[in-house]
Amino acid sequence: MQQDVQAALPNSMPDPSVPVQKKRTLWRRITRNWELYLFIAPAFFYFLIFHYGPMYGIQIAFKNFIPTMGITGSPWVGFEHFVRFFDSYYFWDLLWNTLSISLYELAVGFPLPIILALAFNEVKDSFFKRTVQTVTYAPHFISVVVMSGMIITFLSPSSGIIVHMIQFLGFDAPQFLTDPAWFKTVYVLSGVWQSTGWGTIIYLAALSAVDPQLHEAAIVDGASRWRRIMHINIPAIVPTITILLILNMGSILGVGFEKILLLQNPLNMEASDVISTFVYRSGLLDAQYSFSTAVGLFNSVVNAILLIVVNQIARRTSENSLW
Amino acid sequence: MPSAVKESRGDRWFLLFNYMYLLFALVIVLYPLVYIISASISDPRYVSSGEMWLLPKGITFEGYARVFENSKIWTGYKNTIIYALVGTAVNLLVTMPAAYALSRKDFVGRGFFMGMFLVTMFFGGGLVPSYLLVKDLGMVNSMWALILPGAASIWNIIVARTFFQSTIPRELQEAAHIDGCTNLRLFMKIVLPLSLPIIAVMALFYGVGHWNSYFSAMIYLNEEAKYPLQMILRQILVLQEMGSEMTGPVSGEVAQALANKADVAALVKYAVIIVSTLPVIAVYPFLQRYFVQGVMIGSVKG
């Protein structure tokens, strides 16, 4: 610091105008921390190449991409691929499947971690509580492939344990894996099993910040546990809920397609084909690069718009928003 | 919770329901896990008929024997370990310095870099342009296709940045500067040694991600010898493809018991689930604290 000041003195102009001074101190602040630019360089180039690079590649959605001519050299075709997609007979099916799976997942999967976190919060730290937490967090670490394998095995019509249980209770077990009517439920409930426990952590963090004095005061006033949850704990986690809800809405067309891809089979296709699996199939398997990029772009744009709209609504109606 | 106060009648009912709810959650989550463990060491006939529903019945370790004899699974295991180690090292080399730079309030351009990174959270090029890029870079069918496109996650950068901001005192950094300590020395000698917990959290998050991922391998690798474990699992568990070395005839006593090929296949499946998931599940209870810490740091809006 001192050296900086001394170094600055001999150079000072007879009449140093303010902007020049400012420029110099800015330059000094940059050069003094030049190493920090080296620190951020790998991440900068990573995001530039692997995230902004593909964004540059999006232009092939408006072109007829011919690999030998490259991205820039391929001829423009305007909105042709989009029109083809919107006019296709599968457009509405894809949109409906994507939306319904997402909303189903949101409706079932979003409130459960909140309820479980509130329940955890009512229990004093004990062996029981730690056990339930450890066990319910664990499925988070099971890979999608193993998860799908478990689903397929448990629901196997001939040997699946869940099928056996339903039969034991005297009912006919549905064809979970091949009946389109069951696909969404299987997908959503297995997701609930896998991620509800882990999802509580973020709410527990918010709940741990609640001032115990609030509870003490409420107890003195004779408030029951139920009322304290409703009037102290829930308001305390509303900001977290809002933020997560906004983030979830922003990915409503981006359902976890890795699992869908694994659970998909020709028989349940009419319920399981979503935009992202369609992009994978038409883009990477059938090599319709331009067309599938257009479909993917439609997906990303809708997501981005939803995110902005929901964030805007949240900002108007509450104090919590992403930006 | 203040416990000195005696619970009212209503509250005691409430607590009872609460405990029952938690018990229910415990059973629902635990049951499939226990079932898989039991099924992996039970006679597959009891498993497929539903007679084995909780505790192992007709104990056999044939499933594990098959898995351990299978060279594909071992190759996959070896590949996954290599990819996870190299991948996590790259992740840390990219994430930690960047997160530290972004944590410094006197870093000019901090807002620009942060903004540039954050945009990618909400908008991206999509699957096909990313694939074409990796192809143009000549990384198809190489390990780098699995590692470089995921070299950093913005979420983890934010978590690490929040950690640096909240645990490394600014005075310490300023003092170091006055003493003529360069940023590089400061980072290596002071910041990193103080940040071992967050390095552990990041390594765990990234490591588990590498261990469990299959999609990049599926689209970028075309040689089976390079497949990571999850791709082999996909063949066995999802596509139900098993080589004859897996289901072929068995010798000895078990031979009669395992007459049915489908039974062997089922047994192998349960065993392979355990073998592949065990490393993660086994270390998890010991590291749970760190994982939870990571999520909690991340949840501080930054």
Side-chain angles (χ1 to χ4, degrees):
Chain A
M1 289 291 236
Q2 291 230 310
Q3 283 169 344
D4 287 349
V5 176
Q6 277 165 1
L9 278 175
N11 282 349
S12 56
M13 311 262 171
D15 184 15
S17 55
V18 180
V20 172
Q21 195 90 32
K22 250 189 191 160
K23 226 181 218 165
R24 187 159 297 159
T25 52
L26 178 70
W27 181 242
R28 181 144 290 143
R29 275 164 61 210
I30 292 174
T31 51
R32 199 180 54 180
N33 284 326
W34 63 274
E35 285 155 308
L36 295 183
Y37 296 92
L38 287 186
F39 284 6
I40 204 145
F44 173 77
F45 285 111
Y46 162 68
F47 281 99
L48 190 70
I49 296 170
F50 288 101
H51 289 269
Y52 288 86
M55 286 189 211
Y56 172 78
I58 284 179
Q59 56 177 289
I60 65 170
F62 306 95
K63 289 182 162 185
N64 249 343
F65 177 66
I66 301 159
T68 49
M69 296 172 83
I71 291 174
T72 344
S74 301
W76 292 95
V77 293
F79 285 88
E80 195 186 292
H81 300 297
F82 292 90
V83 173
R84 194 178 126 209
F85 178 55
F86 296 142
D87 285 347
S88 67
Y89 67 94
Y90 43 73
F91 172 71
W92 291 107
D93 284 347
L94 285 177
L95 195 64
W96 163 248
N97 284 340
T98 312
L99 269 179
S100 58
I101 292 179
S102 272
L103 291 174
Y104 191 174
E105 200 178 18
L106 195 64
V108 180
F110 192 78
L112 283 174
I114 302 176
I115 298 170
L116 189 59
L118 290 169
F120 276 143
N121 196 51
E122 291 305 307
V123 179
K124 267 184 299 220
D125 195 37
S126 60
F127 177 73
F128 175 72
K129 180 179 177 180
R130 280 197 303 275
T131 308
V132 181
Q133 281 184 311
T134 304
V135 169
T136 51
Y137 295 172
H140 173 78
F141 297 98
I142 294 176
S143 74
V144 216
V145 175
V146 168
M147 189 66 214
S148 308
M150 282 169 62
I151 296 169
I152 293 170
T153 315
F154 284 164
L155 298 178
S156 151
S158 57
S159 59
I161 184 67
I162 295 182
V163 171
H164 281 310
M165 283 180 170
I166 294 172
Q167 283 164 348
F168 178 77
L169 296 174
F171 298 100
D172 274 342
Q175 298 285 321
F176 288 110
L177 297 168
T178 47
D179 183 352
W182 278 94
F183 178 82
K184 287 163 190 160
T185 304
V186 167
Y187 174 84
V188 169
L189 292 188
S190 59
V192 163
W193 180 80
Q194 189 170 17
S195 51
T196 300
W198 190 254
T200 61
I201 296 177
I202 199 159
Y203 295 111
L204 288 173
L207 283 168
S208 68
V210 174
D211 186 354
Q213 288 187 349
L214 282 175
H215 280 285
E216 279 156 24
I219 292 168
V220 172
D221 290 345
S224 66
R225 278 179 179 267
W226 177 254
R227 295 194 55 141
R228 280 185 281 132
I229 289 176
M230 300 305 282
H231 296 287
I232 300 175
N233 289 344
I234 290 183
I237 56 173
V238 161
T240 312
I241 296 177
T242 318
I243 297 287
L244 287 183
L245 198 59
I246 297 171
L247 285 173
N248 269 300
M249 291 303 290
S251 53
I252 207 124
L253 285 192
V255 286
F257 84 114
E258 291 198 351
K259 194 166 96 187
I260 297 187
L261 207 55
L262 293 171
L263 292 176
Q264 223 167 38
N265 58 49
L267 293 169
N268 66 25
M269 203 68 163
E270 65 170 275
S272 67
D273 206 14
V274 296
I275 296 177
S276 43
T277 54
F278 178 78
V279 170
Y280 166 71
R281 228 176 30 253
S282 63
L284 300 191
L285 300 184
D286 303 341
Q288 303 185 49
Y289 295 130
S290 283
F291 175 64
S292 53
T293 303
V295 177
L297 178 59
F298 162 75
N299 196 340
S300 325
V301 168
V302 174
N303 276 340
I305 292 173
L306 271 172
L307 184 79
I308 294 168
V309 169
V310 175
N311 189 60
Q312 218 51 34
I313 295 172
R315 205 160 68 166
R316 292 267 165 81
T317 53
S318 72
E319 279 136 40
N320 308 298
S321 62
L322 282 178
W323 63 81
Chain B
M1 274 322 96
S3 53
V5 186
K6 207 168 153 267
E7 303 281 349
S8 75
R9 212 181 139 82
D11 279 357
R12 265 178 292 166
W13 275 109
F14 177 86
L15 276 178
L16 181 69
F17 278 112
N18 201 43
Y19 273 108
M20 279 167 57
Y21 172 66
L22 291 180
L23 195 65
F24 175 74
L26 178 72
V27 170
I28 291 282
V29 176
L30 197 56
Y31 177 70
L33 302 175
V34 173
Y35 178 84
I36 288 176
I37 296 172
S38 299
S40 73
I41 52 170
S42 292
D43 185 326
R45 284 170 307 168
Y46 293 129
V47 177
S48 66
S49 68
E51 279 171 78
M52 193 298 293
W53 63 274
L54 182 65
L55 295 175
K57 204 168 180 183
I59 289 182
T60 166
F61 292 96
E62 189 63 27
Y64 288 97
R66 299 273 170 142
V67 169
F68 287 119
E69 280 164 18
N70 187 286
S71 61
K72 257 164 80 177
I73 292 179
W74 284 118
T75 315
Y77 230 96
K78 188 197 76 195
N79 289 339
T80 291
I81 292 174
I82 295 172
Y83 301 158
L85 286 179
V86 178
T88 307
V90 170
N91 292 143
L92 292 179
L93 285 174
V94 176
T95 304
M96 301 312 285
Y100 175 67
L102 290 170
S103 78
R104 286 275 297 267
K105 292 226 160 56
D106 58 341
F107 174 44
V108 180
R110 179 174 184 255
F112 163 77
F113 288 114
M114 203 60 212
M116 174 191 163
F117 297 172
L118 276 174
V119 166
T120 65
M121 221 173 165
F122 306 114
F123 191 77
L127 179 65
V128 176
S130 308
Y131 173 79
L132 292 175
L133 176 76
V134 170
K135 215 170 118 183
D136 285 345
L137 293 173
M139 297 196 300
V140 166
N141 205 23
S142 95
M143 163 172 97
W144 300 109
L146 313 188
I147 292 173
L148 293 182
S153 116
I154 176 62
W155 180 252
N156 286 344
I157 291 181
I158 294 177
V159 171
R161 186 199 66 163
T162 312
F163 177 89
F164 288 137
Q165 274 172 352
S166 55
T167 46
I168 313 287
R170 242 181 57 189
E171 295 74 25
L172 190 69
Q173 308 188 356
E174 278 161 10
H177 273 302
I178 291 168
D179 290 347
C181 179
T182 62
N183 278 315
L184 186 66
R185 270 178 60 93
L186 176 68
F187 181 63
M188 302 296 286
K189 301 273 173 190
I190 299 174
V191 175
L192 283 187
L194 284 174
S195 309
L196 293 179
I198 197 67
I199 296 175
V201 170
M202 293 291 104
L204 291 170
F205 278 167
Y206 283 124
V208 171
H210 287 294
W211 190 274
N212 284 342
S213 81
Y214 83 96
F215 190 70
S216 328
M218 185 170 84
I219 61 178
Y220 294 127
L221 298 182
N222 37 40
E223 245 175 277
E224 210 175 72
K226 293 182 179 170
Y227 279 176
L229 185 59
Q230 298 297 330
M231 280 297 284
I232 309 294
L233 289 177
R234 174 171 167 266
Q235 292 176 344
I236 297 175
L237 296 174
V238 179
L239 306 178
Q240 326 249 359
E241 290 165 0
M242 264 185 240
S244 53
E245 77 276 12
M246 293 281 252
T247 50
V250 212
S251 56
E253 282 174 40
V254 217
Q256 285 85 26
L258 299 182
N260 191 338
K261 270 194 173 189
D263 283 348
V264 188
L267 186 58
V268 169
K269 274 192 208 169
Y270 293 113
V272 86
I273 288 179
I274 301 287
V275 170
S276 65
T277 316
L278 202 65
V280 180
I281 295 276
V283 295
Y284 148 74
F286 302 101
L287 305 173
Q288 184 188 348
R289 200 160 60 86
Y290 294 107
F291 279 116
V292 171
Q293 227 173 41
V295 179
M296 289 202 173
I297 296 170
S299 70
V300 179
K301 196 182 155 190

